[in-house]
């Protein structure tokens, strides 16, 4: 499998989906049995582990390229495909929030 094209994005969304499906119930279970503070402590510990792993695995001799200007960065927002992704995300989140029970 080559990590070029759309594969990296697909892997990120796969990881996000797996994390949501497995970790939300697991976090709820931990929170109900040991208190919500335990869930946050566990997430924080995983974040520290991830930070250390990234610091170790990313090479120090990466070449730095010139950053894009603000105009070039804003032009990305005019991409029809990207606007469609934003639309799907907004509609999906709206539907998710709409399903939440009233307090």
């Amino acid at each position: 499998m080559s990590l070029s094209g759309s594969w990296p994005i697909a892997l990120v969304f796969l990881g996000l989906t797996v994390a949501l499906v497995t970790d939300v119930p697991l976090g709820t279970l931990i929170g109900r049995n040991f208190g919500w503070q335990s869930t946050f402590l566990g997430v924080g510990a995983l974040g520290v582990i991830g930070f250390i792993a990234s610091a170790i695995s990313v090479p120090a001799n990466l070449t730095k390229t010139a950053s894009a200007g603000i105009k070039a960065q804003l032009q990305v927002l005019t991409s029809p495909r990207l606007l469609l992704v934003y639309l799907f995300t907004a509609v999906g989140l709206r539907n998710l929030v709409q399903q939440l029970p009233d307090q």
Side-chain angles (χ1 to χ4, degrees):
M1 168 175 57
S2 171
L3 289 182
S4 62
S6 61
W7 271 104
I9 294 171
L11 288 175
V12 167
F13 279 104
L14 174 68
L16 178 62
T17 303
V18 169
L20 286 174
V21 168
T22 59
D23 294 343
V24 170
L26 182 63
T28 303
L29 179 72
I30 292 170
R32 287 184 185 226
N33 290 322
F34 303 105
W36 64 268
Q37 297 93 341
S38 300
T39 304
F40 278 82
L41 183 64
V43 169
L46 289 174
V48 169
I49 291 169
F51 177 78
I52 292 170
S54 295
I56 292 170
S57 62
V58 174
N61 59 353
L62 292 176
T63 57
K64 189 172 184 178
T65 59
S67 62
I70 189 72
K71 185 176 180 180
Q73 292 180 26
L74 290 175
Q75 283 179 337
V76 172
L77 296 176
T78 62
S79 167
R81 292 175 69 184
L82 189 58
L83 291 174
L84 191 61
V85 168
Y86 289 151
L87 176 67
F88 283 143
T89 303
V91 170
L93 287 175
R94 180 206 163 268
N95 290 336
L96 178 68
V97 169
Q98 188 177 14
Q99 300 299 320
L100 293 175
D102 293 333
Q103 296 292 329

